[in-house]
Amino acid sequence: MHIPDGYLSPQTYLPLYGGFAVIAAVAVAKLKRTVDTRLVPYVGMAAAFSFLIMMFNIPIPGGTTGHAVGGGIIAILFGPWVAFVALSIALIIQALVFGDGGITAIGANCFNMGFVMPLVAWYVYRIIAGTNASTRRQMIAVFVAAWLSLNVAALFTAVELGIQPLVAAGPDGNPLYAPYPLKITIPAMMGEHLLLFGIVEGLVSVLIFRYFAKYHPDIIAARHK
Amino acid sequence: MEKKYWIFLAILAILTPVGIFLPQWFNAGDAWGEWGVDVVKQQVGYEPAQMKKTADIYHAPVPDYNFFDEEAPLAKQAIAYIVSAFLGIGIILLLTFGLQKISKPKNDSPVSSTTQ
């Protein structure tokens, strides 16, 4: 889901950079104002976790690869703003140091995986788990939230890629950037994320959640207020 | 909790080569839509005019978590992958340590600031 350089036209990546900058300003203000400074170490832990989990490429035999992101479970445990900052740190380092995701696409990738994903997971989890759920119901909520949030992020990515032939074509009608239309990008991205990578994201998230439920119930309780 | 958590992350970092062995065993390639320009050209029959130019805009110091040759033996790539994992964690730690310094209020308790 890390869009490389060369795939997005400036008319796509510049607005996404703008959106990312606005969200980043809001996130920093929110964290400074409302969040306990004790939460800051969790940003580092969460960023490191997400960075590592994204290195575990999962193969589709004979096909492509993908990976979990961790943006859902981080949002469920520490809130969407901590998740946004953590994911953005991980994604920016991946782009600048390891060439994983383009530098022109940092805004897009941070928007998709750092903002959309945590926000979706946060709301889906709260809707399903409510304020007073049984552990079983919480687990189901975590799985669905993680699975769905990865898929919504994948859908945003697919749409950003798939509109390129529409927004940036040369005089000969050929796309200047990513050449795949929406009818190719959406089925390709969604099929693999709905059926495989999303399931892995859900399972990993439930495992992490179980650990916190057992050893750090205070953190989960704080989220249920 | 913190110490245990970092140990857990270190174990994860050591296990990361699973993420290059598995795709190799199952003969799987890049993630969808993350191909190089040459692969895109193969797929659609032409090279999108602006794609190549933008694709080469930046060269990362450790491309693909690998500081050896792209064709290096898998064992070498695995070592590079682990080193990259620790390098990534290290940079994240440095950054968040800085963030912590900035976000910490200079006077934690208003009492001490008024009495001094």
Side-chain angles (χ1 to χ4, degrees), chain B residues 36-79:
Chain B
V37 184
D38 45 326
V39 177
V40 173
K41 192 178 172 186
Q42 266 175 28
Q43 287 180 352
V44 295
Y46 60 92
E47 190 179 280
Q50 296 295 319
M51 196 177 210
K52 176 89 184 160
K53 246 192 340 204
T54 323
D56 287 337
I57 203 168
Y58 178 73
H59 293 276
V62 191
D64 293 324
Y65 309 90
N66 184 9
F67 37 78
F68 296 116
D69 193 57
E70 234 177 280
E71 304 298 321
L74 220 50
K76 264 177 125 175
Q77 290 188 38
I79 291 166

Side-chain angles (χ1 to χ4, degrees), chain A residues 59-106:
Chain A
I60 294 172
T64 58
T65 54
H67 52 73
V69 173
I73 184 64
I74 296 170
I76 291 167
L77 291 174
F78 304 113
W81 297 109
V82 168
F84 170 77
V85 176
L87 265 290
S88 299
I89 290 172
L91 290 165
I92 290 169
I93 292 171
Q94 285 174 333
L96 291 182
V97 182
F98 302 104
D100 195 5
I103 51 158
T104 56
I106 284 176

Side-chain angles (χ1 to χ4, degrees), chain A residues 4 8-9 23 44 46 68 93 96 107 114 119 125 129 149 152 164 168 186 191 199 211 213 219 221:
Chain A
L8 297 181
S9 55
I23 298 161
I93 292 171
L96 291 182
L119 208 64
Y125 175 77
S149 65
V152 176
Q164 295 315 307
I186 293 178
I199 308 277
Y211 177 84
I219 286 173

Side-chain angles (χ1 to χ4, degrees), chain A residues 44-63:
Chain A
M45 289 181 173
F49 169 71
S50 174
F51 178 88
L52 289 174
I53 207 76
M54 289 194 264
M55 292 182 79
F56 286 86
N57 297 309
I58 305 150
I60 294 172

Side-chain angles (χ1 to χ4, degrees), chain A:
Chain A
M1 222 189 288
H2 294 62
I3 302 173
D5 284 322
Y7 278 72
L8 297 181
S9 55
Q11 49 268 51
T12 312
Y13 70 67
L14 289 177
L16 285 164
Y17 251 112
F20 168 63
V22 171
I23 298 161
V26 174
V28 170
K30 282 244 176 206
L31 288 184
K32 269 196 168 164
R33 191 150 32 92
T34 57
V35 177
D36 206 305
T37 43
R38 276 178 302 176
L39 263 183
V40 173
Y42 293 126
V43 172
M45 289 181 173
F49 169 71
S50 174
F51 178 88
L52 289 174
I53 207 76
M54 289 194 264
M55 292 182 79
F56 286 86
N57 297 309
I58 305 150
I60 294 172
T64 58
T65 54
H67 52 73
V69 173
I73 184 64
I74 296 170
I76 291 167
L77 291 174
F78 304 113
W81 297 109
V82 168
F84 170 77
V85 176
L87 265 290
S88 299
I89 290 172
L91 290 165
I92 290 169
I93 292 171
Q94 285 174 333
L96 291 182
V97 182
F98 302 104
D100 195 5
I103 51 158
T104 56
I106 284 176
N109 289 326
C110 289
F111 181 80
N112 301 335
M113 285 182 270
F115 180 65
V116 174
M117 183 177 186
L119 208 64
V120 170
W122 168 252
Y123 281 111
V124 171
Y125 175 77
R126 287 181 82 93
I127 290 166
I128 299 177
T131 48
N132 199 16
S134 63
T135 310
R136 195 182 130 89
R137 185 161 153 188
Q138 286 179 355
M139 304 270 211
I140 293 170
V142 168
F143 183 88
V144 175
W147 175 81
L148 192 65
S149 65
L150 184 75
N151 278 289
V152 176
L155 182 62
F156 269 78
T157 308
V159 170
E160 288 155 17
L161 290 172
I163 59 170
Q164 295 315 307
L166 300 173
V167 299
D172 56 355
N174 279 345
L176 295 170
Y177 297 90
Y180 314 98
L182 286 165
K183 64 172 195 248
I184 290 179
T185 60
I186 293 178
M189 287 292 284
M190 296 324 292
E192 57 185 33
H193 283 88
L194 287 167
L195 297 174
L196 182 59
F197 310 139
I199 308 277
V200 175
E201 180 84 40
L203 293 175
V204 169
S205 301
V206 168
L207 280 178
I208 303 282
F209 186 85
R210 276 177 64 130
Y211 177 84
F212 275 88
K214 197 166 175 193
Y215 296 103
H216 301 282
D218 50 311
I219 286 173
I220 290 164
R223 295 289 128 225
H224 279 267
K225 272 181 201 154

